[in-house]
Amino acid sequence: MRCAIVHYHELALKGRNRDYFEDRLVHNIQLALSDLGVRQVENLRSRIRVILPSEANYEIIRQRLSRVCGIANFSLADSVPLDLANPNFEALSAAIIEELRTKSYSTFRVTAKRADKRLPLTSTDAERIVGAAIHEQTGKAVRLKDPDITVYLEMLSRDVYFSVEKIPGPGGMPVGVSGKVACLISGGIDSPVASYRMIKRGCRALFVHFSGRPLVSRDSEDKVRDLVQTLTAYLHKSRLYVIPFGEIQREIVLNTPAPFRVVLYRRMMLRITEELARREQCWGLVTGDSLGQVASQTPENLSVVEEAAGLPILRPLIGMDKLEITDDAKRIGTYETSIEPDQDCCKLFTPPHPSTKTRLEELLHVERALDIPRLVKQGVEKAELSEFIFPA
């Protein structure tokens, strides 16, 4: 029988709430594999077993499971029956040796885990017996540190599963256990990574994008839709609001001093996003801010921008540098889309010398020239909603 054996780390520490977190992870695995003929996903306490149909495309299953938040690692494994009273590792060793014939290696090791302590043989006993059989039959050398290949054994109550690879998952928490947040997403590198980091902590994400339309093309919107589709592979279902922001920006430009424009744009974006977030029952707003990266992300400007919102502002990237953020973007699959050129609304009407140490009292005085409730209402009413599902 071919299975995926799934491991998790953080969920095992949840005490009396552990069942809730494990059930959510099982549910999310079922969603991720729902169109691939997978019918059995079983919680075996400390690991999850996914029984795979014989016709399953293992490469697609591998890709899907590697995006399920909450999974620390998993293996695509074969099983051999195990007799608790009289465990015999001959059939297991023979099956492993047959599997290894397709691999190229000079050294190996065997790593076993015994889930059922009723087994008379310990994990060390199993490693020694199977390792000796592989060495005798293949002539390959055992190396406990940095071997060419590692054989993994999972000894459960009635079966022992073996595999030659452990595939990392995202880790973190299952999506859905931490409520919903509204993520401000641009076409750049940072905001998709910030969104992903909250998804990985178990949040459902509502995406909100501010387009420079009608003053610019839809290029940034097309990019953001591609980015949201990529992130939906971790979420399974998501919603995106696109806000035509160009006219609002023009009104800010006509009525306020140039140095304050960037901060005023950000405050207006937060107000509009918060209105949508409350309608969608979100508990927080997520931004891609990284301390000191641009003019709007100085300590003073971050504080002034945040004052405009009533919901908590979450900044998962605040202490990360650009190289760290870029590495994350490459790993989750958003980088190549993010670096495509577009017409970002944040680049419209940007002053040559923006204020970097804005004082709240001064900004509130400047904002009196704007009809803020009307502009917020305008942004919300013109919001365009798209929905995304994975797998489609």
Side-chain angles (χ1 to χ4, degrees):
M1 183 170 60
R2 186 75 161 165
C3 294
I5 303 296
V6 173
H7 289 271
Y8 47 85
H9 291 159
E10 195 170 346
L11 307 191
L13 306 176
K14 294 302 177 183
R16 287 178 293 180
N17 294 320
R18 178 172 172 173
D19 287 347
Y20 166 70
F21 288 92
E22 290 177 339
D23 290 346
R24 173 57 64 175
L25 180 55
V26 167
H27 173 73
N28 290 351
I29 291 171
Q30 290 171 330
L31 278 179
L33 306 179
S34 60
D35 61 330
L36 302 178
V38 173
R39 298 291 178 265
Q40 290 181 269
V41 182
E42 304 166 331
N43 183 2
L44 303 180
R45 201 68 174 174
S46 78
R47 52 182 58 74
I48 293 169
R49 178 171 61 189
V50 183
I51 298 178
L52 305 177
S54 57
E55 70 278 9
N57 185 317
Y58 298 125
E59 184 56 34
I60 294 178
I61 287 173
R62 176 192 183 110
Q63 293 172 5
R64 298 280 181 87
L65 290 178
S66 67
R67 295 192 186 102
V68 177
C69 295
I71 293 179
N73 59 69
F74 64 95
S75 57
L76 299 177
D78 290 293
S79 68
V80 173
L82 188 65
D83 185 353
L84 275 174
N86 184 30
N88 185 334
F89 285 89
E90 291 182 4
L92 172 64
S93 298
I96 293 171
I97 291 167
E98 185 63 29
E99 172 76 11
L100 290 175
R101 293 189 195 283
T102 64
K103 310 295 179 183
S104 176
Y105 66 102
S106 298
T107 60
F108 75 96
R109 70 168 289 170
V110 179
T111 298
K113 287 188 176 180
R114 182 180 60 157
D116 194 329
K117 303 307 180 186
R118 293 176 297 172
L119 279 168
L121 292 177
T122 66
S123 299
T124 303
D125 293 331
E127 292 168 357
R128 177 176 50 80
I129 294 169
V130 173
I134 295 173
H135 172 69
E136 182 179 340
Q137 292 293 318
T138 67
K140 305 295 185 181
V142 176
R143 178 186 290 173
L144 299 183
K145 185 176 181 181
D146 297 326
D148 296 331
I149 200 167
T150 299
V151 177
Y152 298 97
L153 305 181
E154 302 265 357
M155 298 186 290
L156 308 185
S157 298
R158 298 176 182 174
D159 302 280
V160 57
Y161 294 85
F162 67 90
S163 63
V164 294
E165 183 183 18
K166 284 231 172 149
I167 305 156
M173 309 279 282
V175 172
V177 301
S178 301
K180 187 192 291 188
V181 291
C183 302
L184 286 84
I185 186 167
S186 70
I189 296 172
D190 298 354
S191 56
V193 175
S195 302
Y196 167 77
R197 284 185 164 260
M198 295 309 301
I199 293 166
K200 186 178 172 181
R201 297 311 303 161
C203 293
R204 299 189 184 280
L206 170 74
F207 298 101
V208 181
H209 174 65
F210 289 85
S211 165
R213 189 161 42 91
L215 306 182
V216 299
S217 71
R218 292 179 177 265
D219 288 351
S220 73
E221 299 173 36
D222 294 338
K223 276 182 64 176
V224 164
R225 286 191 170 87
D226 289 342
L227 290 168
V228 170
Q229 186 64 64
T230 298
L231 291 170
T232 304
Y234 298 91
L235 282 165
H236 310 305
K237 183 183 294 185
S238 63
R239 291 157 67 89
L240 165 68
Y241 283 101
V242 173
I243 317 294
F245 197 58
E247 293 294 349
I248 296 175
Q249 284 182 276
R250 193 199 322 254
E251 190 155 337
I252 292 172
V253 168
L254 293 175
N255 291 283
T256 62
F260 299 111
R261 287 176 191 166
V262 173
V263 172
L264 291 169
Y265 296 161
R266 296 298 299 267
R267 284 170 64 88
M268 192 63 66
M269 289 176 182
L270 284 184
R271 291 184 177 108
I272 294 169
T273 302
E274 182 174 4
E275 182 65 29
L276 294 170
R278 292 188 184 279
R279 295 184 182 187
E280 295 271 357
Q281 298 181 316
C282 299
W283 64 268
L285 311 179
V286 180
T287 73
D289 295 324
S290 173
L291 185 61
Q293 191 175 115
V294 295
S296 64
Q297 296 171 7
T298 62
E300 294 84 358
N301 285 358
L302 288 173
S303 298
V304 169
V305 169
E306 184 172 283
E307 190 274 340
L311 290 176
I313 306 296
L314 309 172
R315 299 183 174 102
L317 312 184
I318 195 67
M320 297 177 67
D321 63 35
K322 198 67 176 183
L323 289 177
E324 293 171 315
I325 298 169
T326 298
D327 287 344
D328 272 7
K330 290 176 180 177
R331 181 169 51 81
I332 66 176
T334 58
Y335 177 76
E336 294 299 330
T337 302
S338 292
I339 62 174
E340 293 175 4
D342 68 1
Q343 292 179 300
D344 188 349
C345 75
C346 293
K347 298 171 185 174
L348 273 180
F349 310 123
T350 301
H353 302 291
S355 171
T356 58
K357 294 185 178 182
T358 308
R359 292 186 296 112
L360 180 60
E361 300 80 10
E362 190 175 9
L363 193 71
L364 292 176
H365 177 75
V366 168
E367 277 190 335
R368 292 175 189 171
L370 301 173
D371 186 349
I372 290 174
R374 178 180 61 80
L375 294 176
V376 171
K377 182 179 179 182
Q378 176 182 328
V380 171
E381 289 181 347
K382 291 187 177 181
E384 301 167 3
L385 175 63
S386 300
E387 297 187 342
F388 299 79
I389 295 176
F390 183 90

